[in-house]
């Protein structure tokens, strides 16, 4: 079965420190990969996506993600965390099936401490 | 302003009483989708539509219906709601002119409680 795993329910990091939010997937073929962020009482907002090409993808608000095909991972990173980055982060995969199917992870709550 | 709107934003209802959650987008997007968000389960796709009159099941379609009679609207219908459909629902849309995945734009969500 196709799936996306976000192994950490919560990640705590001090402001100014680098952050990583992990995502691994189990999807056949070459899937498309996404990160979304959800602030309290809001809908999801797009951060970045990997379609093809360079394994390091840069997105909004200084976030980036590294695609690793051999490890089937797509970890989200930021060199220096801000308190305002505190939110719920979702990894999502779209299988290369020609459909509009999306598989989301369970989410990781990021808490940046001042 | 480009946006996806959902109505109502909050709804408390009783078991078996048919309801419709509306979703509308003003970006002329062909692709639309419905998700439900539950604690510990993340987002799960209910139904999606790749064009007018074209809909297909996501991972959790049981108990839901959708229709896509015009491009801008994609209502979610619960014909006989049950308590296990209590959830936070999101509608999303995207534009994919080259066949490559576009950015999904999400609505603000509808919090549904079924008693």
């Amino acid at each position: 079965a196709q799936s996306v795993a976000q192994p950490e329910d919560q990640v705590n990091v001090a402001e100014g420190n680098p952050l990583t939010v992990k995502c691994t997937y189990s999807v056949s073929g070459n899937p498309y990969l996404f990160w979304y962020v959800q602030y309290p009482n809001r809908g999801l907002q797009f951060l970045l996506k990997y379609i093809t090409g360079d394994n390091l993808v840069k997105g909004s608000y200084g976030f980036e993600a590294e695609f690793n095909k051999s490890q089937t991972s797509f970890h989200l990173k930021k060199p220096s965390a801000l308190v305002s980055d505190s939110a719920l982060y979702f990894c999502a995969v779209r299988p290369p099936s020609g459909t509009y199917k999306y598989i989301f992870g369970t989410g990781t709550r990021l808490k940046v401490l001042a | 302003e480009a946006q996806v709107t959902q109505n109502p934003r909050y709804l408390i209802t009783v078991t078996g009483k048919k309801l419709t959650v509306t979703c509308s987008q003003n970006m002329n997007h062909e692709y639309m989708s419905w998700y439900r968000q539950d604690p510990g389960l993340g987002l799960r796709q209910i139904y999606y539509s790749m064009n007018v009159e074209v809909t297909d099941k996501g991972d959790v379609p049981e108990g839901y219906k959708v229709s896509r009679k015009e491009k801008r609207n994609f209502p979610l219908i619960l014909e006989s709601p049950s308590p296990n459909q209590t959830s936070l629902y999101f509608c999303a849309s995207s534009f994919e002119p080259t066949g490559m995945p576009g950015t999904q734009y999400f609505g603000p969500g509808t919090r549904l409680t079924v008693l």
Side-chain angles (χ1 to χ4, degrees), chain A residues 97-110:
Chain A
S97 58
T99 69
Y100 196 56
K101 282 204 166 182
Y102 277 88
I103 306 165
F104 277 77
T106 53
T108 298
R109 188 164 299 282
L110 174 67

Side-chain angles (χ1 to χ4, degrees), chain A residues 9 42 95 108:
Chain A
D9 289 337
R42 302 283 296 276
T108 298

Side-chain angles (χ1 to χ4, degrees), chain B residues 22-25 32 67-75:
Chain B
T22 64
C23 172
S24 183
Q25 49 91 7
M32 298 186 74
S67 69
R68 188 91 182 275
K69 292 183 171 28
E70 49 191 341
K71 188 182 273 193
R72 65 182 293 127
N73 296 324
F74 190 43

Side-chain angles (χ1 to χ4, degrees), chain A residues 1 3 12 18-19 25-26 28 35 44 57 65 72 77-78 88 90 92-93 98 106 108 110:
Chain A
S3 63
N12 295 327
L19 69 88
Y25 63 90
S26 176
S28 55
W35 276 100
L44 278 73
V57 178
T72 61
K77 301 182 180 186
K78 187 174 183 181
L88 186 57
F90 288 99
V93 169
T106 53
T108 298
L110 174 67

